[in-house]
Amino acid sequence: MNLESQENHEGFLVVSLDSSLPDLCIWVFCYKSNMKIRSLPALLLSILSGGLAFAQQTPQTIADTELPSLLTIYKDIHSHPELSWHEKRTSALIAKELRAASCEVTENFGKYDNPNLKGYGVIGIMKNGDGPTVLVRTDMDALPVEEETRWSYASKVVTQNDEGKDVHVAHACGHDAHMAAFVGTARALAKLKNQWRGTIMFVAQPAEETGNGARALFKAGLYTRFGKPSLALGYHDNAQMQTGHIGVTEGYTYANVDSVNITVRGVGGHGAYPHKTKDPIVLSAEIINALQTIASRENNPIDPVVVTVGSIHGGTKHNIIPDEVKMQLTVRTYKSDVRDRVLAAIDRIAKGCAMAAGIPPERAPIVDVLKDQFTPATYNNPELTRRLVAVWKNLLGQNNVEATDPTMGGEDFSEYSLPDHSIPACDFWIGAVDPVKIAESKKSGTTLPSLHSSKFAPVPEPTIRVGIIGMTSAVVELMKK
Ligand SMILES: [Zn+2]
Ligand SMILES: [Zn+2]
């Protein structure tokens, strides 16, 4: 029999008792600060008498214990995805789980601008004496995508979308993994109440993909009804990062997202007599090109800006010059003053080009910034982020926490920190990809399936596990006794 011990990267003493008797092989995980092993007989006695009960529970031990049941929940949610605004079954399941984890639960929370839509938000309040309030957020909605993974639990769901069209539905953005880790985090924090104090506000948010779910919760009075948190935390799985890793960006991590409609109006007529018309198609082409000079010529290159014309529609036939052209733009920025300048420039350029084309003032383009579709930039409070990075590096190992680049994508998690970022927040990444696949993709030069891809197939166990460890340890750090 030999006795080996070593400290693993999660800070545990791993002791292996390898007996010459083939059936007697015992692995014991002991929390290093609590257990000193002096002799083998003492250890065996300790095991036999149930002496491990005094070993302190940690996010890791709880994650390991809860994983089998969370995996069942994950597969259930994965094979029953629901589109944004329709998260009825999913939210009921989350409400049940939060209740079982000792939260006071409010269901069907949220109010959309459209009165025909029902809010399926779930708020779970876990109280543990006086202390700060920390918000922990998951999203719940799936996407109109036909899943093409090989998982046995792949979604086969087809439903009608809001236009009455049949669409496939899948959790192609991994919100199912967020939910499984969210339930695991609630269970873990209920068991770790001796390590933290205060109130945890668990928020299961509907309609992240449509960008109006968080706003619906605020419209129903999220912070007036449940109190304003002192901090807000969220996470998202990452389709390019390996499992076992956490990634995070200090400062801006997601962009302001604005949707802008432009109606370019001209004077229509016969395609053979352009001199009798004011052609809105040629004018639209000029506007599109001129819009690209906002980022390249008007903006400080240090400040990221994207202006994309994603849709343009005008005309019906070869030989008719139409009366108008409609364009749809997505506009991405970080800083709010840059946002204001870019939106003003879009308006000025559209109208200026029309003036140059001789369009009369009463037919000037209509530039409409869709206020109800705005998603503010997500800003990871640098001080908070650095504090959490230190905790994660300690738990997961230095090399398993990555400094990730910011993106021009959008996330309505930003709503929880308020428009002026006055509630410090951090939204971090959880690696979801098999490291073997990352190595293969680097070698072959083929790209990995991105989020929203029909082929996105996160590896559930390690992704959910690190989600629980990352979120639970963050909350305990911020609320510790
Ligand atoms: Zn998504
Ligand atoms: Zn997502």
Side-chain angles (χ1 to χ4, degrees):
M1 185 179 279
N2 62 58
L3 179 67
E4 292 172 8
S5 77
Q6 65 180 82
E7 205 170 290
N8 75 359
H9 63 268
E10 289 178 356
F12 290 85
L13 189 67
V14 178
V15 181
S16 160
L17 290 166
D18 185 9
S19 165
S20 51
L21 296 171
D23 289 334
L24 181 62
C25 179
I26 308 167
W27 286 85
V28 186
F29 297 83
C30 316
Y31 196 58
K32 66 177 178 183
S33 62
N34 281 13
M35 195 162 188
K36 286 199 178 87
I37 297 163
R38 294 190 184 281
S39 68
L40 194 56
L43 172 66
L44 289 171
L45 192 66
S46 162
I47 294 165
L48 292 172
S49 64
L52 282 177
F54 64 82
Q56 193 177 15
Q57 294 197 92
T58 67
Q60 294 97 320
T61 58
I62 299 171
D64 291 335
T65 311
E66 297 296 334
L67 256 182
S69 122
L70 295 170
L71 211 56
T72 307
I73 292 173
Y74 171 78
K75 289 178 182 173
D76 180 31
I77 298 174
H78 188 91
S79 52
H80 296 91
E82 292 172 305
L83 290 175
S84 313
W85 310 326
H86 301 276
E87 306 88 343
K88 188 177 176 183
R89 181 186 188 277
T90 311
S91 62
L93 191 155
I94 296 296
K96 186 184 105 201
E97 291 298 333
L98 287 181
R99 236 173 242 125
S102 80
C103 291
E104 257 169 55
V105 174
T106 304
E107 284 181 78
N108 301 323
F109 189 74
K111 207 170 167 188
Y112 294 101
D113 294 337
N114 178 347
N116 299 324
L117 298 176
K118 191 171 169 191
Y120 285 111
V122 182
I123 315 299
I125 301 293
M126 189 182 283
K127 286 192 176 141
N128 192 23
D130 291 337
T133 299
V134 172
L135 182 151
V136 174
R137 179 265 212 170
T138 183
D139 33 21
M140 297 191 286
D141 50 336
L143 288 159
V145 167
E146 183 173 4
E147 182 165 351
E148 291 183 285
T149 69
R150 297 208 180 104
W151 298 127
S152 58
Y153 49 87
S155 166
K156 295 179 181 64
V157 171
V158 177
T159 190
Q160 281 201 336
N161 68 9
D162 292 293
E163 286 83 52
K165 230 173 83 184
D166 280 350
V167 288
H168 291 266
V169 191
H171 268 295
C173 204
H175 297 182
D176 45 357
H178 305 170
M179 283 182 270
F182 180 80
V183 170
T185 299
R187 289 181 184 178
L189 288 165
K191 288 181 180 170
L192 294 173
K193 276 190 174 172
N194 61 337
Q195 294 182 30
W196 61 272
R197 65 177 170 197
T199 302
I200 304 171
M201 187 193 293
F202 288 98
V203 175
Q205 182 205 304
E208 187 278 328
E209 297 293 354
T210 46
N212 58 352
R215 213 163 32 236
L217 301 185
F218 280 95
K219 204 174 173 196
L222 181 66
Y223 287 175
T224 44
R225 184 152 166 201
F226 300 101
K228 196 168 145 183
S230 19
L231 299 155
L233 301 173
Y235 48 31
H236 203 293
D237 51 5
N238 188 306
Q240 312 298 316
M241 188 186 293
Q242 76 170 70
T243 57
H245 282 203
I246 282 179
V248 70
T249 313
E250 260 182 50
Y252 287 107
T253 182
Y254 294 105
N256 289 309
V257 180
D258 277 289
S259 297
V260 180
N261 288 343
I262 303 179
T263 306
V264 178
R265 300 181 294 175
V267 178
H270 200 295
Y273 318 125
H275 55 295
K276 305 266 188 199
T277 72
K278 297 286 178 198
D279 187 346
I281 288 187
V282 172
L283 173 54
S284 296
E286 280 168 5
I287 292 172
I288 291 169
N289 278 331
L291 289 176
Q292 297 314 311
T293 62
I294 299 172
S296 65
R297 301 292 85 185
E298 289 191 33
N299 181 60
N300 182 341
I302 306 301
D303 292 318
V305 167
V306 176
V307 178
T308 293
V309 179
S311 140
I312 171 164
H313 289 94
T316 52
K317 203 173 181 301
H318 306 73
N319 59 356
I320 299 174
I321 291 170
D323 284 319
E324 62 179 33
V325 171
K326 287 183 181 290
M327 297 197 275
Q328 295 180 309
L329 285 66
T330 187
V331 181
R332 311 287 171 123
T333 52
Y334 284 142
K335 296 176 184 165
S336 58
D337 61 323
V338 174
R339 172 178 178 244
D340 293 345
R341 274 205 307 276
V342 170
L343 293 175
I346 290 170
D347 189 81
R348 190 197 72 233
I349 286 171
K351 288 175 181 162
C353 286
M355 193 193 287
I359 302 285
E362 66 275 14
R363 295 285 291 161
I366 300 165
V367 180
D368 188 13
V369 179
L370 306 180
K371 290 197 174 65
D372 62 335
Q373 289 186 27
F374 170 58
T375 305
T378 299
Y379 183 77
N380 281 344
N381 180 280
E383 198 186 327
L384 169 64
T385 305
R386 283 196 287 270
R387 190 170 161 194
L388 298 183
V389 164
V391 170
W392 295 327
K393 283 191 170 173
N394 192 32
L395 280 178
L396 301 172
Q398 291 284 326
N399 297 332
N400 295 332
V401 182
E402 301 180 18
T404 41
D405 290 333
T407 84
M408 298 308 277
E411 238 295 354
D412 68 357
F413 169 78
S414 51
E415 300 276 1
Y416 300 104
S417 68
L418 300 181
D420 58 356
H421 313 307
S422 57
I423 297 176
C426 184
D427 196 9
F428 55 95
W429 294 106
I430 306 292
V433 189
D434 183 346
V436 174
K437 288 202 170 152
I438 292 180
E440 278 170 11
S441 116
K442 276 187 185 152
K443 208 170 150 196
S444 64
T446 52
T447 52
L448 290 161
S450 64
L451 294 175
H452 292 203
S453 158
S454 59
K455 294 186 173 64
F456 173 54
V459 193
E461 293 93 333
T463 307
I464 296 167
R465 183 174 184 275
V466 170
I468 298 168
I469 294 170
M471 188 58 90
T472 305
S473 61
V475 174
V476 170
E477 165 68 17
L478 301 171
M479 303 179 80
K480 64 188 167 193
K481 281 185 172 171

Short mmCIF file of all heavy atoms in Angstrom, two decimals, residues 143 173 175 208-209 452, ligand 1:
data_model
loop_
_atom_site.label_atom_id
_atom_site.label_comp_id
_atom_site.label_asym_id
_atom_site.label_seq_id
_atom_site.Cartn_x
_atom_site.Cartn_y
_atom_site.Cartn_z
N LEU A 143 -33.51 30.15 -29.41
CA LEU A 143 -33.48 30.85 -30.71
C LEU A 143 -34.21 30.06 -31.80
O LEU A 143 -34.29 28.83 -31.72
CB LEU A 143 -32.02 31.02 -31.15
CG LEU A 143 -31.19 32.05 -30.39
CD1 LEU A 143 -29.71 31.75 -30.54
CD2 LEU A 143 -31.51 33.46 -30.88
N CYS A 173 -27.61 29.47 -28.08
CA CYS A 173 -26.76 30.47 -27.42
C CYS A 173 -26.33 29.97 -26.04
O CYS A 173 -25.67 30.67 -25.29
CB CYS A 173 -27.48 31.81 -27.31
SG CYS A 173 -26.37 33.23 -27.17
N HIS A 175 -28.08 29.31 -23.30
CA HIS A 175 -28.73 29.83 -22.09
C HIS A 175 -29.18 28.70 -21.18
O HIS A 175 -29.38 28.91 -19.98
CB HIS A 175 -29.92 30.73 -22.47
CG HIS A 175 -29.53 31.96 -23.25
ND1 HIS A 175 -30.41 32.92 -23.65
CD2 HIS A 175 -28.30 32.38 -23.69
CE1 HIS A 175 -29.78 33.88 -24.31
NE2 HIS A 175 -28.49 33.56 -24.36
N GLU A 208 -33.67 37.69 -23.69
CA GLU A 208 -32.37 38.36 -23.89
C GLU A 208 -32.11 38.55 -25.37
O GLU A 208 -31.58 39.57 -25.79
CB GLU A 208 -31.25 37.53 -23.24
CG GLU A 208 -29.89 38.23 -23.24
CD GLU A 208 -29.14 38.11 -24.55
OE1 GLU A 208 -29.28 37.09 -25.25
OE2 GLU A 208 -28.41 39.06 -24.91
N GLU A 209 -32.50 37.55 -26.16
CA GLU A 209 -32.17 37.59 -27.59
C GLU A 209 -32.88 38.73 -28.31
O GLU A 209 -32.40 39.22 -29.32
CB GLU A 209 -32.53 36.25 -28.26
CG GLU A 209 -31.74 35.05 -27.72
CD GLU A 209 -30.25 35.11 -28.07
OE1 GLU A 209 -29.84 36.01 -28.81
OE2 GLU A 209 -29.51 34.24 -27.58
N HIS A 452 -25.11 30.87 -31.57
CA HIS A 452 -26.24 30.99 -32.52
C HIS A 452 -26.10 30.04 -33.71
O HIS A 452 -26.99 29.99 -34.56
CB HIS A 452 -26.45 32.43 -33.03
CG HIS A 452 -26.92 33.38 -31.97
ND1 HIS A 452 -27.59 34.56 -32.25
CD2 HIS A 452 -26.85 33.33 -30.61
CE1 HIS A 452 -27.88 35.18 -31.11
NE2 HIS A 452 -27.43 34.45 -30.11
ZN ZN B 1 -27.55 34.89 -28.17
#
